[in-house]
Amino acid sequence: MGPRTERRQQHGEESRRRILDATVEIAAERGYEGTSIALVSERSGLPRSSIYWHFRDKDDLLAAVIERSYHLWRERLIAAGSARTPDLDRAGALREITAAIAASLLDQPEFLRLGMMLTLERRPVEAKARELFVGIRNEVLAFATREFQTMLADVSAAEREAVARKLAAFMLAAADGLFLAYQLAPDTFDLLGQFELLAIVVDAAWDRLTV
Amino acid sequence: MGPRTERRQQHGEESRRRILDATVEIAAERGYEGTSIALVSERSGLPRSSIYWHFRDKDDLLAAVIERSYHLWRERLIAAGSARTPDLDRAGALREITAAIAASLLDQPEFLRLGMMLTLERRPVEAKARELFVGIRNEVLAFATREFQTMLADVSAAEREAVARKLAAFMLAAADGLFLAYQLAPDTFDLLGQFELLAIVVDAAWDRLTV
DNA sequence: TCCTGACTGTACCAATCGTTCCATTCCGAC
DNA sequence: GTCGGAATGGAACGATTGGTACAGTCAGGA
């Protein structure tokens, strides 16, 4: 890998990035079937043939978009969640977590938008992109479950995992729902306030499930 | 309207129903753009021209589908929610409500599936179908808010409406999220258990918001 | 028997779909 | 300058898209 390939790759990567930028924008607006290669070409300024040079086919392109938007969202979430106040009580910790999720979703909404669309769109030939999202989603759920388990020190080991899993699944699903409601009416839906309520609600459920 | 028109209308209504049946099935699977007239024709067994005889265009067809699936779901929800146990405490009442919602969604999932897809799909030319769903959704929210207000007798009138609206918005959004998670993994997601948890959670939030 | 209006069947339209092909351009290495 | 691979440009492909036009079928009323 001399400097030659580096420069060439820089040029190629730049085009690839522009294609992905255009695609994520379109796909988050119009779903899988609504994302046409012609529109991607038009909005990225690159010819159709370039798209097929960088990606095998449409399915491959959409999968790449999911992957990249996931990583962008994940970085944003980690950035928002890293500044944790030490020695916080459970309610406070939950409030910080939900605030971080809300911030990451406001900043990088494309990943979840796209993932939800792929969740709902059940085409006969299952798209690679959908499978990718399902896998990522399961990882996130497993991560949240582990986090909750460490916060459940006072519960017997037997029921700890079950409670943690149930709470994590609920919290993730509820966060999805709040995001969706926000997509429906961004001007009137109080996303941040609802995420605060989510923290309160999970905290309360904690008591009721473990007593 | 003599017997002649009746018979003819019966025939026509039958065709119209078959078209709507096929469309709702396809649209709930593939979204707006994925719903092609050719596929609707094939699955309903009626020629394309009949579809255009019954509906002005694709947009009109989709709007009709939304409307009918909403009414079907609504009937199912009312049926599930009408058998309310008298003199139940708040927690019990909430559990009955969430159970009714869960049952209606399991029985008539198409309405919410379709509505969510239209919520996420933001095409430049806003479809009539989407506006219809937004309107229905606002009605449901208003209804839930009113119901909650009557259950908030112990709260001062000033904050009663605000609290009821916030709780109703949260409950609806969370229900959407649970439904979505179930769509993602119907085999592993415990929809009924999660809806029970939703009842518990809203009951707990009630105390914390009104104290 | 003929008329009428609801519905069906066929053919057609321009536009767009995803994809392929291939000639051309670009640019660093030699 | 020449070579080679990365990348672009443009044309073309067969299939499918939503939509229109129109003739034909059918049943019931006059």
Side-chain angles (χ1 to χ4, degrees):
Chain A
M1 275 199 245
R4 114 184 115 133
T5 31
E6 272 173 32
R7 281 234 192 127
R8 282 199 206 145
Q9 272 185 358
Q10 271 176 17
H11 197 4
E13 283 303 309
E14 159 78 13
S15 294
R16 193 188 147 93
R17 213 207 33 159
R18 275 166 62 192
I19 293 168
L20 286 174
D21 284 344
T23 307
V24 74
E25 197 179 308
I26 297 164
E29 270 176 10
R30 307 165 79 121
Y32 190 99
E33 313 242 14
T35 305
S36 77
I37 303 295
L39 194 53
V40 171
S41 160
E42 186 187 310
R43 215 176 285 190
S44 67
L46 277 91
R48 276 172 288 233
S49 57
S50 290
I51 297 171
Y52 282 94
W53 196 90
H54 287 282
F55 304 94
R56 198 184 327 111
D57 53 22
K58 185 177 166 176
D59 206 36
D60 189 43
L61 171 61
L62 267 291
V65 160
I66 281 275
E67 195 144 34
R68 196 187 64 149
S69 64
Y70 165 60
H71 284 123
L72 287 173
W73 170 73
R74 193 169 188 272
E75 276 175 30
R76 186 66 187 77
L77 178 64
I78 289 170
S82 62
R84 298 271 280 273
T85 311
D87 301 323
L88 212 58
D89 63 341
R90 194 185 62 205
L94 283 171
R95 207 166 48 239
E96 282 195 348
I97 291 172
T98 56
I101 296 174
S104 69
L105 289 179
L106 280 173
D107 201 56
Q108 295 282 339
E110 286 85 7
F111 169 63
L112 193 52
R113 275 186 69 92
L114 244 169
M116 283 182 172
M117 301 189 92
L118 294 175
T119 298
L120 292 167
E121 287 181 17
R122 287 222 203 102
R123 136 189 29 266
V125 181
E126 281 293 303
K128 275 194 313 182
R130 187 183 197 266
E131 287 172 30
L132 190 57
F133 179 74
V134 172
I136 289 171
R137 167 90 201 197
N138 282 336
E139 277 177 34
V140 173
L141 179 62
F143 174 76
T145 303
R146 281 197 305 276
E147 285 284 308
F148 277 12
Q149 267 182 287
T150 66
M151 293 170 74
L152 278 165
D154 50 332
V155 181
S156 75
E159 58 175 351
R160 193 181 297 159
E161 206 219 331
V163 171
R165 199 206 311 274
K166 190 164 189 176
L167 276 174
F170 179 82
M171 184 159 160
L172 248 65
D176 289 348
L178 296 180
F179 177 73
L180 195 83
Y182 174 69
Q183 298 296 315
L184 192 62
D187 297 327
T188 61
F189 190 80
D190 175 25
L191 187 70
L192 295 178
Q194 289 284 334
F195 263 93
E196 279 175 28
L197 180 55
L198 176 60
I200 292 171
V201 137
V202 171
D203 182 58
W206 209 284
D207 291 331
R208 303 223 182 176
L209 284 184
T210 55
V211 173
Chain B
M1 276 200 243
R4 110 187 118 132
T5 32
E6 271 172 34
R7 281 234 193 125
R8 283 197 208 145
Q9 273 185 358
Q10 270 176 18
H11 197 1
E13 284 303 310
E14 160 77 13
S15 294
R16 192 189 148 94
R17 213 205 30 143
R18 276 167 61 192
I19 292 168
L20 286 174
D21 284 344
T23 307
V24 74
E25 196 179 308
I26 297 164
E29 271 175 9
R30 306 165 80 121
Y32 190 98
E33 313 242 14
T35 304
S36 77
I37 303 295
L39 194 52
V40 171
S41 160
E42 185 187 309
R43 215 176 286 191
S44 68
L46 282 115
R48 278 180 288 257
S49 59
S50 291
I51 298 171
Y52 282 97
W53 195 89
H54 286 283
F55 305 94
R56 198 182 329 112
D57 52 23
K58 185 176 167 176
D59 204 35
D60 189 44
L61 170 61
L62 266 292
V65 160
I66 280 276
E67 194 144 34
R68 196 189 62 150
S69 63
Y70 166 60
H71 284 123
L72 288 174
W73 170 74
R74 194 168 187 274
E75 275 175 31
R76 186 65 187 79
L77 178 64
I78 290 171
S82 63
R84 297 269 279 273
T85 312
D87 301 324
L88 212 58
D89 63 341
R90 195 185 62 204
L94 283 171
R95 205 165 51 238
E96 281 195 349
I97 291 172
T98 57
I101 295 174
S104 69
L105 289 180
L106 280 173
D107 201 57
Q108 295 283 341
E110 286 85 7
F111 168 64
L112 194 52
R113 275 184 70 90
L114 244 169
M116 283 183 174
M117 301 188 90
L118 294 176
T119 297
L120 292 167
E121 286 182 18
R122 287 220 203 104
R123 137 186 31 267
V125 182
E126 282 293 305
K128 274 195 311 182
R130 187 182 197 265
E131 287 173 30
L132 189 58
F133 178 74
V134 172
I136 290 172
R137 166 90 200 196
N138 282 336
E139 275 177 35
V140 173
L141 180 62
F143 174 77
T145 303
R146 281 197 305 274
E147 284 286 307
F148 276 14
Q149 267 182 287
T150 66
M151 294 170 74
L152 278 165
D154 50 332
V155 181
S156 74
E159 57 176 352
R160 191 182 298 158
E161 206 219 331
V163 171
R165 199 206 311 272
K166 189 164 189 175
L167 275 174
F170 179 83
M171 185 158 159
L172 248 65
D176 289 348
L178 295 180
F179 176 74
L180 195 82
Y182 174 71
Q183 297 297 316
L184 192 62
D187 298 328
T188 60
F189 190 80
D190 175 24
L191 187 69
L192 294 178
Q194 288 285 333
F195 263 93
E196 280 176 28
L197 182 54
L198 177 59
I200 293 171
V201 137
V202 172
D203 183 57
W206 209 286
D207 291 330
R208 301 222 183 178
L209 284 184
T210 53
V211 172

